[in-house]
């Protein structure tokens, strides 16, 4: 991680200079990378610092970077089991996504909200949020988010004891998941990563 941080922060005489927007994107990616490695505390610190800089001195396309940032923050708080802050960031995520035409992010924002509500035992809110996510991926054709949305939908319905709906969305997850894998080049690393993802609705 140290080498990744050095590269992204741009320290050293031999580093290639980056534009401000590129630098900000790298800082957000660094925060998300921390979360992916399980370093949720570092992820939150990194992403909050970048949010402060963006809000203090906005530049072009920061509105888009903030969508990625909110996704990362929501996930990091969720990893910590901090449902209060996760819920707060997810609400901002939905608000920011809904203000754009970025349907993939809109679907992911509603999916995030549904997951947090499910973990907080807010069953009706979880169902309402995931239905909004489903409507987005199906009415606007958003394959990059569909597999994640269907995965969460199947889990929510299984938790509610509605196994007919759970199996329906588990099947849609399998189809969307496999379709996404097959769309990637043969040697693409994400084929292996995605291939290792499974859905077990019996344990929901």
């Amino acid at each position: 991680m140290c080498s990744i941080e050095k590269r992204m922060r741009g320290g050293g005489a031999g580093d290639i200079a980056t534009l401000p927007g590129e630098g900000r994107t790298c800082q957000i990616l660094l925060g998300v990378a921390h979360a992916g490695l399980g370093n949720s505390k570092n992820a939150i610190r990194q992403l909050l610092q970048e949010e402060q800089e963006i809000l203090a001195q906005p530049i072009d396309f920061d509105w888009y970077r903030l969508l990625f940032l909110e996704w990362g923050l929501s996930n990091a708080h969720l990893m910590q089991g901090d449902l209060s802050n996760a819920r707060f960031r997810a609400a901002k995520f939905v608000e920011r996504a809904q203000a754009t035409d970025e349907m993939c992010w809109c679907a992911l924002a509603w999916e995030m909200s549904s997951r947090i509500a499910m973990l907080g035992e807010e069953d009706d809110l979880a169902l309402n949020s995931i239905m909004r996510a489903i409507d987005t991926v199906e009415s606007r054709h958003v394959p990059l988010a569909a597999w994640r949305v269907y995965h969460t939908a199947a889990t929510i319905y299984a938790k509610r004891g509605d196994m007919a709906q759970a199996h329906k969305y588990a099947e849609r997850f399998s189809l969307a998941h496999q379709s996404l894998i097959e769309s990637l080049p043969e040697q693409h690393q994400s084929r292996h990563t995605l291939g290792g993802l499974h859905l077990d609705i019996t344990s929901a």
Side-chain angles (χ1 to χ4, degrees):
M1 177 56 77
C2 288
S3 61
I4 294 175
E5 289 188 354
K6 181 180 178 182
R7 187 75 178 267
M8 288 185 169
R9 293 186 191 282
D15 290 342
I16 299 174
T18 59
L19 296 172
E22 293 174 335
R24 285 187 173 176
T25 299
C26 285
Q27 295 305 313
I28 293 171
L29 285 169
L30 176 58
V32 172
H34 275 303
L37 291 171
N39 303 323
S40 56
K41 184 177 180 179
N42 289 341
I44 291 167
R45 183 175 63 247
Q46 174 72 26
L47 292 170
L48 286 177
Q49 178 182 327
E50 196 57 33
E51 181 186 40
Q52 289 178 352
E53 293 183 12
I54 287 174
L55 296 179
Q57 192 172 6
I59 58 175
D60 287 345
F61 300 110
D62 274 346
W63 63 269
Y64 189 88
R65 295 182 188 95
L66 284 169
L67 298 176
F68 193 16
L69 182 145
E70 292 293 4
W71 181 80
L73 274 173
S74 299
N75 270 303
H77 283 301
L78 206 52
M79 288 170 60
Q80 288 191 329
D82 184 350
L83 291 182
S84 178
N85 275 314
R87 191 178 292 113
F88 172 74
R89 298 313 309 204
K92 290 181 71 67
F93 187 14
V94 168
E95 179 184 356
R96 282 174 167 158
Q98 292 267 278
T100 76
D101 292 324
E102 294 291 332
M103 292 299 105
C104 184
W105 285 116
C106 285
L108 291 174
W110 284 118
E111 185 275 335
M112 175 65 70
S113 293
S114 68
R115 242 183 320 135
I116 294 167
M118 177 178 63
L119 291 172
E121 303 296 331
E122 300 173 280
D123 294 343
D124 290 341
L125 178 59
L127 183 60
N128 179 64
S129 296
I130 201 61
M131 291 309 296
R132 286 174 175 264
I134 290 169
D135 180 66
T136 301
V137 299
E138 294 187 347
S139 66
R140 304 298 292 270
H141 186 61
V142 191
L144 286 176
W147 67 275
R148 188 184 293 273
V149 168
Y150 292 142
H151 186 285
T152 300
T155 305
I156 287 172
Y157 275 111
K159 188 172 182 290
R160 294 172 69 91
D162 188 341
M163 298 312 294
Q165 288 290 92
H167 284 295
K168 180 178 84 171
Y169 286 110
E171 182 176 350
R172 292 187 186 181
F173 159 74
S174 296
L175 292 172
H177 180 233
Q178 188 59 35
S179 177
L180 183 59
I181 291 173
E182 292 174 356
S183 72
L184 296 169
E186 196 65 38
Q187 302 302 318
H188 199 289
Q189 174 134 3
S190 291
R191 286 182 72 105
H192 174 72
T193 304
L194 287 168
L197 178 64
H198 302 288
L199 173 61
D200 180 13
I201 56 177
T202 63
S203 61

